[in-house]
Amino acid sequence: VVTPGPAVSVGPPSDAVVLFDGRNLNEWINSRDKSPAGWTVADGVLTVNKQAGNIETRRTFRNYQLHIEWRIPEHITGDGQARGNSGVFLASTGGGDAGYEIQVLDSYNNKTYTNGQAGSIYKQFIPLANAMRKPGEWQAYDILWTAPTFNADGTLKTPAYISAIHNGVLIQNHVELKGETVYIGAPAYKAYDRAPIKLQSHGDPSPVISFRNIWLRELP
Ligand code: MG
């Protein structure tokens, strides 16, 4: 456990693609049927609507630097994977939870499997530190995503890499992914070109979490 420094909300630089600035969900759609996103925007904050399901960006991306802030409700309930579970899919490669997920969860005082805690590359890489703030406080992820590339026949050319910083603390250092993040079974790559970013609406019954200040900078 590493106690992070004070919370600072870092706004977008001039060349950023702003995905959520507190005003509306124009950059997002429902993953299931591409209809309006259906999550709640109030007081500059975006909150999960579990009835609506996962949402994803209208735009698609390859490599980028992403900033996203998230908050577990102060009075969160549940335990393990059923306590504020959400997730950021750096590339959504299909319906449901298909793609590459960095976990969002309350890991302040909550035991679960190590490669399923907040900041894990789900079921692949344990975070290097637990830098969680307590429920009710804002958390920040700053993520570098290098997308996998594929040969014309669909085989893997170069793997995906992730570096991630949680509340100013390095938690993933250029890890080479084994494939998409899957709940059960061995990860595998599946060819794609550009992909949306997806936010998870997890089926557990705990109170819904929120996001704010989401932006990225596209990289070569
Ligand atoms: Mg999740």
Side-chain angles (χ1 to χ4, degrees):
V1 174
V2 176
T3 304
V8 177
S9 182
V10 179
S14 60
D15 62 349
V17 175
V18 176
L19 295 173
F20 180 69
D21 66 0
R23 285 185 288 195
N24 60 59
L25 277 174
N26 292 353
E27 291 286 341
W28 298 84
I29 54 176
N30 188 293
S31 289
R32 199 165 38 215
D33 58 7
K34 317 303 175 194
S35 64
W39 288 14
T40 307
V41 177
D43 302 322
V45 170
L46 168 61
T47 299
V48 176
N49 172 357
K50 291 194 188 186
Q51 280 69 49
N54 295 345
I55 65 170
E56 65 189 37
T57 54
R58 215 176 268 287
R59 303 190 212 201
T60 57
F61 304 100
R62 288 196 181 93
N63 307 321
Y64 56 80
Q65 167 192 350
L66 173 70
H67 178 88
I68 184 165
E69 298 176 23
W70 50 280
R71 183 181 62 191
I72 302 290
E74 184 178 358
H75 301 293
I76 189 71
T77 60
D79 53 46
Q81 293 290 302
R83 188 177 173 88
N85 197 333
S86 180
V88 181
F89 291 86
L90 289 320
S92 173
T93 56
D97 290 340
Y100 302 84
E101 181 188 10
I102 183 166
Q103 178 69 300
V104 167
L105 187 75
D106 177 26
S107 290
Y108 187 72
N109 184 12
N110 178 32
K111 284 200 166 64
T112 189
Y113 41 94
T114 51
N115 59 6
Q117 67 186 292
S120 63
I121 307 307
Y122 187 68
K123 292 283 185 91
Q124 292 192 32
F125 294 96
I126 300 164
L128 297 170
N130 179 341
M132 279 294 294
R133 296 195 173 102
K134 60 184 177 221
E137 297 185 9
W138 284 98
Q139 322 271 341
Y141 279 164
D142 288 282
I143 298 167
L144 302 183
W145 168 248
T146 303
T149 62
F150 298 88
N151 299 303
D153 66 358
T155 56
L156 184 69
K157 188 173 180 186
T158 57
Y161 294 93
I162 295 181
S163 295
I165 291 172
H166 181 191
N167 295 334
V169 176
L170 182 68
I171 57 166
Q172 300 288 350
N173 188 5
H174 198 62
V175 294
E176 179 184 321
L177 273 67
K178 299 165 184 167
E180 298 188 4
T181 53
V182 289
Y183 176 46
I184 293 170
Y189 279 101
K190 185 175 68 188
Y192 76 95
D193 183 19
R194 301 175 67 88
I197 293 168
K198 180 164 65 186
L199 300 179
Q200 188 181 45
S201 167
H202 191 266
D204 74 79
S206 65
V208 287
I209 80 151
S210 299
F211 294 91
R212 72 175 184 189
N213 193 19
I214 310 171
W215 53 262
L216 63 74
R217 296 180 60 246
E218 295 190 84
L219 301 174

